[in-house]
Amino acid sequence: MGIFLIFADAFDSLGVPQLVRAREQGEEEFKKIASIMFTFALLISISMLILSLSLMQVILKIPVGFSPQALEATRSSYVLLIPCLAFSFVLRQLGAVLRSQRKFTQCFIAEIIMAITNLTATLTGLLLTKDFRVLAVSNSISQGVGTIYMLCVSRRFVSIKFYIDENTKKLMSHFLQLSLLYGVFHLYVIVDRTFASYLGERAVSALAYGLIVAGIPKNILRFEDIAMTSLAELGGSTNKLNFYLKKLALFTWPIVIFFFIIPRVPVRLLFGYGAFSKVDVDLVAIALKFYALSIPFMFFWPLIYRVFQIRGKLLGVGLVAIAGVVTNALLNYIFVFYLDMGIAGICLGTFGSNLVTCGLGYIMLVGGIPKG
């Protein structure tokens, strides 16, 4: 399902610069752009719904090593997650509309409602049935509830209106470019999992859980969604970007130090029970320790590529992203096969690629485009 969610990711920031400029021109212009975006989100949602169903048999051939039982379980989960996919586009588009108006509270409330709904549905379903499909159903239900809430709070800007003009062409162009950009970054996960498969199934799981824990601060704060509005208002100002990067560096380094020095503490608190053995805890702790080095870049990069987006330089950021993926693959190869560093090597490969990506991106912004 992540294959199709690449396109949903693009709606996190799609149209925000245009919406900010439209807001400054007046409410009517803002409603016009918001309506075009809502219609576009609906069309993409329907298209992805049809595409995910029609390509299901092809996609289920990807896990070639799965047993028939595992493949059937994957099929069930895939089908049950399709509503989650369909809701994602409208949900994220409405979130972009609210953020462009600086209505961040409503977006956070939607996140809380979805989290509580997901938790409640998951716990209730597992207690009653102990069926793995509860997880997929709970995700779809929470997305649906969150979308209904967002439709209610954004109802003034919900209407269907579509015509071809300069704004529509720009939205379509940005959507395609952002989708390609997000697609490139999904390759990071594929590269890491591919190299981890040489270390065994536990290594793949350890990387997944370690990355989840390392990403908790970023996923809670979602700072890039907040900063996008002010950056757009200032036309992607380098001075404003520098201000945010400095504050984020001060905020993230204590977290990096904590996770690097005592990674077993959060891992044991979150996962050290049930089917998790001591070996599993140790492996996840190693992944968290070295993924922690990338935490500042988890905050930096979304801000950097959003400035590229505001300035209309998405081709440049796409090239930087590809350079990061190539660096990640090369470093993983060296650390895993030549230096025999195992999980730590894969995480350090990610760290190295983050250095390249953020460094090149920042240099291009500061050196190639005049400061604002």
Side-chain angles (χ1 to χ4, degrees), residues 98-157:
L98 290 175
R99 291 197 306 274
S100 67
Q101 297 179 292
R102 292 184 169 271
K103 294 182 178 179
F104 304 114
T105 303
Q106 287 91 332
C107 295
F108 287 131
I109 290 174
E111 295 278 353
I112 293 170
I113 290 173
M114 290 167 60
I116 293 173
T117 303
N118 198 355
L119 177 63
T120 304
T122 300
L123 288 176
T124 304
L126 290 177
L127 287 172
L128 293 175
T129 67
K130 291 184 172 57
D131 192 319
F132 72 91
R133 285 169 289 197
V134 166
L135 301 174
V137 172
S138 299
N139 270 287
S140 290
I141 291 174
S142 65
Q143 286 280 333
V145 172
T147 303
I148 292 171
Y149 168 80
M150 293 291 270
L151 285 168
C152 291
V153 298
S154 309
R155 56 186 177 276
R156 290 176 54 224
F157 308 105

Side-chain angles (χ1 to χ4, degrees), residues 190-201:
I190 295 173
V191 169
D192 282 357
R193 299 301 183 270
T194 300
F195 280 94
S197 66
Y198 288 96
L199 304 174
E201 292 180 2

Side-chain angles (χ1 to χ4, degrees), residues 208-367:
Y209 284 111
L211 187 59
I212 288 172
V213 179
I216 286 174
K218 187 257 183 188
N219 291 329
I220 290 177
L221 192 58
R222 300 287 292 274
F223 186 78
E224 68 275 12
D225 291 341
I226 301 171
M228 177 73 169
T229 301
S230 60
L231 285 169
E233 290 171 346
L234 296 173
S237 165
T238 304
N239 290 333
K240 192 67 173 179
L241 174 65
N242 287 337
F243 172 79
Y244 284 141
L245 293 179
K246 290 175 184 176
K247 297 297 183 183
L248 289 172
L250 292 173
F251 169 74
T252 54
W253 276 111
I255 302 173
V256 173
I257 294 170
F258 174 76
F259 281 160
F260 190 82
I261 294 176
I262 48 175
R264 284 181 57 85
V265 172
V267 173
R268 288 184 65 183
L269 286 174
L270 292 170
F271 308 120
Y273 49 85
F276 255 70
S277 66
K278 182 180 181 299
V279 174
D280 294 323
V281 171
D282 290 340
L283 289 174
V284 176
I286 293 172
L288 174 59
K289 178 176 182 175
F290 291 98
Y291 267 143
L293 298 174
S294 295
I295 289 176
F297 302 106
M298 293 179 185
F299 285 87
F300 295 165
W301 178 245
L303 289 182
I304 291 172
Y305 76 67
R306 276 166 169 78
V307 172
F308 274 99
Q309 179 189 350
I310 292 166
R311 295 178 178 181
K313 304 291 182 179
L314 285 174
L315 176 60
V317 77
L319 296 175
V320 171
I322 292 172
V325 173
V326 172
T327 302
N328 191 28
L330 289 174
L331 290 177
N332 279 352
Y333 185 82
I334 294 169
F335 290 147
V336 173
F337 294 118
Y338 279 90
L339 300 180
D340 197 24
M341 296 178 66
I343 290 175
I346 293 174
C347 299
L348 288 174
T350 300
F351 172 68
S353 66
N354 283 329
L355 272 176
V356 169
T357 303
C358 291
L360 283 177
Y362 184 78
I363 290 170
M364 288 179 64
L365 285 177
V366 175

Side-chain angles (χ1 to χ4, degrees), residues 35-145:
S35 297
I36 293 173
M37 284 184 60
F38 180 76
T39 306
F40 188 52
L42 278 180
L43 291 173
I44 296 296
S45 179
I46 294 170
S47 300
M48 290 298 125
L49 188 65
I50 296 171
L51 202 59
S52 63
L53 285 170
S54 60
L55 293 179
M56 182 170 65
Q57 297 304 322
V58 176
I59 290 173
L60 287 174
K61 294 184 183 298
I62 293 174
V64 292
F66 276 22
S67 66
Q69 294 82 2
L71 195 60
E72 187 56 38
T74 304
R75 184 192 306 275
S76 299
S77 299
Y78 182 94
V79 172
L80 293 172
L81 282 170
I82 287 178
C84 179
L85 170 69
F87 289 128
S88 293
F89 295 93
V90 173
L91 178 69
R92 299 189 189 201
Q93 182 271 322
L94 294 175
V97 170
L98 290 175
R99 291 197 306 274
S100 67
Q101 297 179 292
R102 292 184 169 271
K103 294 182 178 179
F104 304 114
T105 303
Q106 287 91 332
C107 295
F108 287 131
I109 290 174
E111 295 278 353
I112 293 170
I113 290 173
M114 290 167 60
I116 293 173
T117 303
N118 198 355
L119 177 63
T120 304
T122 300
L123 288 176
T124 304
L126 290 177
L127 287 172
L128 293 175
T129 67
K130 291 184 172 57
D131 192 319
F132 72 91
R133 285 169 289 197
V134 166
L135 301 174
V137 172
S138 299
N139 270 287
S140 290
I141 291 174
S142 65
Q143 286 280 333
V145 172

